[in-house]
Amino acid sequence: MVAVVFGSCSKPTPKPVGYYRIEIPQNEYRTFADDAYPYQFQLSEYAQVKPRPDTKDDRYWIDIYYPQFDGTIYCSYKAVNNNFQEITEDTREFVYKHTVKADDITEQPFVNDEKHVYGILYRLEGNTASPTQFILTDSVSYLFRGALYFNAKPNKDSIAPVLDFINADIVRLVESFEMKKN
């Protein structure tokens, strides 16, 4: 009887920490132009618009949900009534509350004179709760604000591909946003 023994003289090497592979689909866009809202914009085919509860103060608020990535862009809409400076300062303060975790915050201005839409796209680098936020306005009658959140602990490395995908959608939303004609 012959016994064969297989062995190894080297120690096993632990695998490095990794992340699940996330399949990022090819994106296509559609226009959100619901009659119940005074604005319209383009958004991803992979996103779902969910209205917030209809109350007097926030009837035009929506959530843009990405079920595949468990992320949501929370969007609010405020009428400007001689309080533009106050509303924009509240928005800026909300963004900069993330400086505790953000490595950097960049502001990218947006101007569309033809549609009378002006805004700022905020990109927050690091492990922040909300990596992308934006405001859009005509500076006279409305302010539309959005903030992206994922339903997960912030980890910039693990969400990077998804964040790039949704950031492209946010840029498309910002560039295509317009108020409907009355």
Side-chain angles (χ1 to χ4, degrees):
M1 172 185 273
V2 178
V4 179
V5 177
F6 294 95
S8 174
C9 296
S10 64
K11 293 182 179 179
T13 310
K15 291 184 178 183
V17 175
Y19 302 107
Y20 294 108
R21 179 179 172 90
I22 300 172
E23 293 294 326
I24 303 297
Q26 185 67 30
N27 213 344
E28 297 200 18
Y29 294 93
R30 61 185 160 81
T31 299
F32 172 76
D34 190 308
D35 289 340
Y37 299 91
Y39 49 79
Q40 64 185 31
F41 53 84
Q42 292 183 348
L43 78 153
S44 171
E45 287 288 338
Y46 297 98
Q48 302 171 356
V49 175
K50 296 181 175 189
R52 298 260 188 94
D54 188 6
T55 64
K56 181 182 175 210
D57 294 334
D58 61 1
R59 67 177 181 220
Y60 300 132
W61 292 28
I62 58 172
D63 296 339
I64 301 172
Y65 178 62
Y66 289 81
Q68 183 176 358
F69 305 124
D70 203 13
T72 303
I73 304 168
Y74 295 97
C75 300
S76 58
Y77 176 95
K78 290 190 181 270
V80 174
N81 296 313
N82 296 321
N83 61 348
F84 180 72
Q85 190 68 33
E86 178 185 329
I87 293 173
T88 55
E89 190 56 34
D90 284 349
T91 298
R92 186 174 165 70
E93 284 178 18
F94 189 79
V95 170
Y96 280 88
K97 282 183 181 179
H98 293 273
T99 55
V100 175
K101 292 284 187 176
D103 298 331
D104 188 28
I105 299 176
T106 58
E107 297 181 13
Q108 179 182 348
F110 173 78
V111 175
N112 185 332
D113 287 325
E114 183 181 318
K115 295 179 182 177
H116 304 288
V117 178
Y118 312 95
I120 300 174
L121 177 64
Y122 297 96
R123 295 184 194 253
L124 295 83
E125 302 296 326
N127 291 324
T128 63
S130 177
T132 307
Q133 298 186 32
F134 63 90
I135 61 166
L136 299 169
T137 184
D138 66 352
S139 303
V140 176
S141 59
Y142 74 88
L143 184 127
F144 185 83
R145 181 181 187 291
L148 171 63
Y149 288 88
F150 291 100
N151 192 22
K153 182 179 177 187
N155 184 333
K156 66 181 180 180
D157 294 331
S158 67
I159 65 163
V162 173
L163 182 58
D164 290 345
F165 179 84
I166 296 177
N167 275 343
D169 289 355
I170 290 172
V171 168
R172 185 73 169 252
L173 183 158
V174 167
E175 290 175 347
S176 64
F177 187 89
E178 64 183 299
M179 295 302 290
K180 294 180 191 172
K181 308 275 189 276
N182 290 335

